[in-house]
Amino acid sequence: MIKHKFAYSLGTNRIYKDGKSKETIVMYTGDANSALLLSLVKQGMDQDSHRRLQIVPMIVSIFDELDEGKLHLLHQKALNFTEIFPWPWHFFHVSAILGPISTLPENSSISGTENIPLYKNLLASVASNSARNELKRLLFDLLLWRIAKLCQVDKVMVSENVESLSNISFNALCFGRGSSLSDLTSVIDKREPEVAFIRPMREIYDKEVHFLNENEGSSQYILKSTSQNPIIFDDKPVYNGINHRATGIQTLTSDFLSSLQTGGFPATMTTILSVSQKVVPLNKDQDHKCLFCRIRNSPEKEKILAEPKCCLPCNNIFKEIKSDDDLALLLKIIRN
Amino acid sequence: MKCQNCGSPPKIKCAKTSAILCAKCFLDWFEEDVHNTIQKTLIFNKGEKIAIGVSGGKDSTVLAHILYNLNKRHDYGLELVLLCIDEGIKGYRDDSIREVRKNEEDLGLPLTILSYKDIYGWTMDEIVAKIGKKNNCTFCGVFRRQALDRGAMKSGCVKLVTGHNADDIAETVLMNVLRGDIARLQRCANAITGSEGSLPRVKPLKYSYEKDIVMYAHHKKLNYFCTECIYAPNSYRSHARTYIKDLERERPQCILDLIYSAESLSLKEDVSLPNLTYCEKCGYISSQTMCKACLLLYGLENNDLTMGTTRKSLSILKNASGTKVSNDQKCGGDCSCEKAAVDF
């Protein structure tokens, strides 16, 4: 049944019935969700002809590990998977977004590692953990869009599931991005007209991810810990890239929703996703799209903005960047 | 450190802007901020008679004082009256009504007090004794909403003003998402709500933070009653409230961002919303043939404590002879709900 949810999401939305190219980037970050995504895509392609998932996959692996030694280790482990998943693999570090993305790296190298110091400086100059995590999420999406355009591929499969999408919805509300709820949580996300993010694991829960990974053997593809098994990094437990000892809206949201879900309100997350599907931006003008997050926004005439072509929530993030040089670099990247 | 406005010794850190201000500058800033909200949202017109819902708590006390002052200072041209609802909660509402009477004296505004007992025939204490400590806020909230509308309309008012602040609205946005109430989500952050067939409600403190309201009341030496309702601790809303307080500690901007989120969204065209009609029993605006208040009262009178608090079809509302509840039946209280037509 869990696998059926994956197939159903793709089938009911007729994602590959549009007559366009079947080339698809499959995103892999090393976490449990993306490990399962790889496994489900492979199983889908190995099916009988009438049920086969007919796509032409390309794996784009994006790491956000800041320690170059550990990054190298992750890369070496991931290279072992290239024989199991015999498709083109390309490795990026998330800091690649801070430089030009003009060529695809060979799978023996990771693109963007030269920008890691710049990336570290940028993150360090953000005043709060909340804004820092939100900035990381936005940069990740921007990187994926740019990689897809470089590859001339119009579909990107991402591994967000029920829990991650519920958290994203609530965090979006907390950052003033209520108008983007539908785009951020739907199976097909076309904020960027030329590239669609596809979320085939939208109906799958964390427990189901864990169950399938254990029973299908795809837990071997997990390189990054889940919340049950933290990696200790610089003496601070790190859960999926978010420093758990430090607070932040994202941690508060995750704890709040989990407590409701397990504390007598088991329909919490499905309700949030259901509501997210029913809302659209009030501003229907396609011309006013934020340069950074791509949501439709109303032009803010009364406020002084660092970047008028970005929405108010993104500008609120920019306000938290203390270094003028880092802000200038970020705005230059966004405007490219 | 100095006051960021006038350079004198500071006393307050503004919750909304994080500005460090002296007491006088803070009070001036707060009143000007509320005035800007009123100007920006265009919620009043000259010559209107406005009912201010007061409970004796900090929000409504501050609201009454600020509106009174701004009305005079900026010549809004409004006629203001105070309206208080007595839910009948011993040790809570009877104490807060004393504070309401002080507001009446201080401001010299006419005060009307309506009680649940008069309108519905039940006090909240009697209701809680019957239903237990679950779903209390459902009964109280529904009854209070109608009671305020009835009271304001009977006083000849064209709008009702409530002291809901930014924290309240942020909470409401989250509650509506968590409960899947998209109809309410769409309108909960509007400047004027309830104008479709019921009394328009406005919230001048919509962008004012609760902490700033407390500071204002403290420095203005306003009297208010500050105990939480004795039936509130077990409410679902308290989960959202705790989360909001944590968010505010982490990033104060979140409160306004939640309101901004609600203001910037709309519903998809294919989403169906309930059609508004009038209650067959009392004539109050309702999305069903019988309004929620009448449904809850029916449940109380007939010992069906799930009526109105769980999803139950109105087709279940049949008396022993199997006929549908008629329009002529009263709810049991000495109120105007015996009339089918709208009388306010």
Side-chain angles (χ1 to χ4, degrees):
Chain A
M1 194 188 110
I2 305 168
K3 292 184 201 177
H4 176 71
K5 289 186 189 179
F6 174 82
Y8 180 79
S9 292
L10 294 175
T12 201
N13 287 285
R14 303 182 68 78
I15 292 168
Y16 293 101
K17 307 278 186 199
D18 56 359
K20 291 184 183 171
S21 165
K22 295 198 191 305
E23 284 186 317
T24 303
I25 287 175
V26 180
M27 189 202 71
Y28 174 71
T29 57
D31 65 2
N33 285 357
S34 58
L36 181 62
L37 179 64
L38 283 188
S39 175
L40 288 172
V41 167
K42 184 162 196 310
Q43 288 181 43
M45 290 177 68
D46 290 344
Q47 292 276 359
D48 299 333
S49 58
H50 76 282
R51 290 166 69 180
R52 187 177 301 145
L53 178 61
Q54 294 184 345
I55 67 171
V56 179
M58 170 196 306
I59 314 280
V60 164
S61 180
I62 302 178
F63 295 125
D64 57 3
E65 175 60 63
L66 297 178
D67 179 284
E68 297 205 35
K70 290 180 182 176
L71 181 63
H72 178 73
L73 208 59
L74 290 174
H75 183 218
Q76 291 306 309
K77 284 185 180 172
L79 280 173
N80 294 331
F81 306 148
T82 57
E83 288 168 26
I84 303 166
F85 302 100
W87 310 316
W89 279 73
H90 303 287
F91 293 91
F92 288 84
H93 190 270
V94 67
S95 57
I97 191 61
L98 297 180
I101 303 169
S102 49
T103 52
L104 286 176
E106 300 293 327
N107 70 6
S108 56
S109 65
I110 305 177
S111 177
T113 50
E114 69 279 6
N115 294 327
I116 289 178
L118 278 177
Y119 184 67
K120 276 186 186 173
N121 284 344
L122 175 60
L123 293 186
S125 73
V126 182
S128 68
N129 283 323
S130 309
R132 189 175 304 117
N133 290 326
E134 178 69 357
L135 183 62
K136 280 160 71 171
R137 182 187 72 78
L138 293 167
L139 286 173
F140 195 95
D141 281 356
L142 193 63
L143 177 63
L144 263 183
W145 280 318
R146 291 198 176 163
I147 292 172
K149 284 180 184 173
L150 175 68
C151 301
Q152 296 181 317
V153 170
D154 65 353
K155 296 178 184 64
V156 179
M157 261 195 213
V158 294
S159 58
E160 287 148 350
N161 70 340
V162 174
E163 277 85 351
S164 48
L165 291 174
S166 309
N167 289 339
I168 284 170
S169 293
F170 247 57
N171 291 332
L173 287 171
C174 294
F175 280 104
R177 300 183 192 283
S179 58
S180 63
L181 287 184
S182 179
D183 289 322
L184 290 175
T185 59
S186 55
V187 173
I188 305 175
D189 173 0
K190 294 208 81 171
R191 279 174 289 159
E192 180 58 53
E194 296 157 29
V195 178
F197 284 175
I198 297 164
R199 302 185 176 101
M201 292 173 58
R202 185 184 180 273
E203 309 290 335
I204 300 177
Y205 287 85
D206 276 353
K207 277 189 181 168
E208 292 168 333
V209 169
H210 180 72
F211 175 82
L212 269 188
N213 275 337
E214 290 297 307
N215 285 279
E216 302 276 318
S218 43
S219 55
Q220 62 178 304
Y221 313 132
I222 300 174
L223 302 177
K224 273 163 62 163
S225 288
T226 61
S227 57
Q228 285 81 27
N229 299 302
I231 298 171
I232 305 296
F233 174 56
D234 285 350
D235 294 327
K236 295 185 184 69
V238 177
Y239 296 83
N240 281 338
I242 297 174
N243 188 326
H244 218 253
R245 285 235 183 98
T247 49
I249 288 168
Q250 293 82 358
T251 312
L252 291 172
T253 299
S254 175
D255 290 346
F256 173 63
L257 294 183
S258 313
S259 67
L260 284 181
Q261 183 83 5
T262 55
F265 304 101
T268 296
M269 292 188 181
T270 45
T271 303
I272 292 169
L273 294 185
S274 168
V275 168
S276 298
Q277 282 312 284
K278 294 175 182 169
V279 300
V280 288
L282 189 63
N283 176 25
K284 297 188 175 21
D285 184 356
Q286 292 283 352
D287 289 338
H288 282 115
K289 271 202 175 187
C290 173
L291 273 187
F292 197 7
C293 66
R294 302 290 200 265
I295 63 170
R296 267 178 275 157
N297 61 303
S298 306
E300 294 286 332
K301 291 177 194 143
E302 293 171 14
K303 299 183 177 14
I304 300 168
L305 306 174
E307 174 48 75
K309 290 185 180 170
C310 287
C311 62
L312 184 61
C314 284
N315 272 280
N316 286 339
I317 300 289
F318 301 154
K319 268 193 224 171
E320 293 207 40
I321 297 174
K322 291 177 285 195
S323 155
D324 289 339
D325 291 339
D326 289 323
L327 177 60
L329 171 65
L330 178 64
L331 292 179
K332 185 179 161 207
I333 300 301
I334 291 168
R335 288 168 188 149
N336 273 348
Chain B
M1 264 202 295
K2 292 181 181 176
C3 169
Q4 284 172 224
N5 204 35
C6 66
S8 47
K11 270 197 168 172
I12 300 155
K13 183 179 177 184
C14 233
K16 184 174 176 179
T17 61
S18 301
I20 310 285
L21 300 170
C22 65
K24 184 185 178 304
C25 289
F26 171 78
L27 295 174
D28 290 342
W29 166 81
F30 187 83
E31 289 175 359
E32 203 52 33
D33 191 53
V34 175
H35 172 63
N36 288 339
T37 300
I38 291 170
Q39 296 286 89
K40 180 181 158 187
T41 53
L42 302 172
I43 50 179
F44 295 132
N45 297 306
K46 239 181 170 77
E48 285 181 332
K49 189 173 183 185
I50 307 289
I52 306 175
V54 288
S55 61
K58 61 179 182 340
D59 298 324
S60 55
T61 302
V62 164
L63 174 69
H65 277 77
I66 274 202
L67 255 192
Y68 176 79
N69 289 331
L70 292 178
N71 190 34
K72 280 201 294 187
R73 188 183 308 160
H74 295 286
D75 191 29
Y76 291 161
L78 305 173
E79 184 186 346
L80 302 174
V81 300
L82 302 177
L83 174 62
C84 178
I85 305 298
D86 179 4
E87 300 96 342
I89 303 176
K90 266 200 174 46
Y92 173 69
R93 186 51 78 211
D94 40 5
D95 289 338
S96 66
I97 284 179
R98 257 179 256 133
E99 301 303 333
V100 171
R101 293 205 184 278
K102 285 183 197 167
N103 285 332
E104 181 193 19
E105 276 174 38
D106 292 343
L107 301 174
L109 296 175
L111 167 67
T112 304
I113 301 180
L114 295 182
S115 71
Y116 278 10
K117 190 72 180 177
D118 291 338
I119 303 173
Y120 305 111
W122 292 76
T123 64
M124 270 312 293
D125 286 342
E126 289 166 356
I127 291 171
V128 174
K130 181 120 187 177
I131 66 172
K133 294 242 172 128
K134 270 189 85 171
N135 300 316
N136 304 154
C137 293
T138 299
F139 282 80
C140 192
V142 167
F143 288 166
R144 189 187 310 110
R145 170 171 262 278
Q146 262 206 38
L148 280 169
D149 278 356
R150 288 171 190 271
M153 285 188 173
K154 278 184 177 169
S155 303
C157 297
V158 299
K159 273 179 191 145
L160 175 65
V161 175
T162 57
H164 290 95
N165 57 46
D167 298 52
D168 293 328
I169 296 177
E171 241 170 68
T172 302
V173 171
L174 293 181
M175 289 276 292
N176 288 332
V177 172
L178 288 170
R179 296 183 340 180
D181 196 333
I182 48 168
R184 283 203 174 97
L185 178 64
Q186 185 189 25
R187 56 179 196 254
C188 67
N190 288 352
I192 303 178
T193 55
S195 43
E196 318 82 9
S198 65
L199 195 71
R201 287 168 177 239
V202 299
K203 302 173 181 77
L205 301 182
K206 181 182 173 190
Y207 299 117
S208 302
Y209 279 42
E210 188 173 26
K211 282 185 181 159
D212 290 335
I213 291 172
V214 170
M215 281 292 128
Y216 182 86
H218 172 74
H219 286 281
K220 275 281 197 186
K221 297 181 176 33
L222 300 179
N223 297 310
Y224 62 89
F225 188 70
C226 58
T227 302
E228 197 188 39
C229 177
I230 55 178
Y231 300 131
N234 300 321
S235 64
Y236 185 72
R237 185 176 277 264
S238 62
H239 295 291
R241 185 169 300 134
T242 308
Y243 173 62
I244 290 277
K245 291 303 166 203
D246 290 339
L247 285 180
E248 192 186 355
R249 250 190 307 272
E250 185 62 33
R251 185 169 179 266
Q253 175 75 21
C254 276
I255 306 289
L256 290 181
D257 282 346
L258 278 162
I259 300 174
Y260 183 81
S261 282
E263 288 172 338
S264 59
L265 59 80
S266 174
L267 296 186
K268 285 186 177 169
E269 280 167 6
D270 56 356
V271 172
S272 62
L273 293 174
N275 291 322
L276 292 178
T277 180
Y278 293 104
C279 173
E280 286 176 355
K281 274 197 78 178
C282 69
Y284 191 73
I285 195 155
S286 170
S287 59
Q288 309 290 337
T289 50
M290 188 179 284
C291 73
K292 193 71 170 244
C294 288
L295 212 57
L296 293 171
L297 284 167
Y298 180 85
L300 285 171
E301 300 290 341
N302 293 279
N303 293 314
D304 184 351
L305 304 182
T306 57
M307 185 63 68
T309 58
T310 58
R311 290 184 195 279
K312 228 174 191 176
S313 166
L314 278 170
S315 61
I316 293 170
L317 279 175
K318 293 180 180 189
N319 61 19
S321 64
T323 55
K324 210 172 161 186
V325 171
S326 81
N327 287 348
D328 297 330
Q329 284 194 357
K330 299 177 192 179
C331 66
D334 186 19
C335 70
S336 59
C337 82
E338 60 193 1
K339 297 181 194 168
V342 179
D343 69 343
F344 49 82

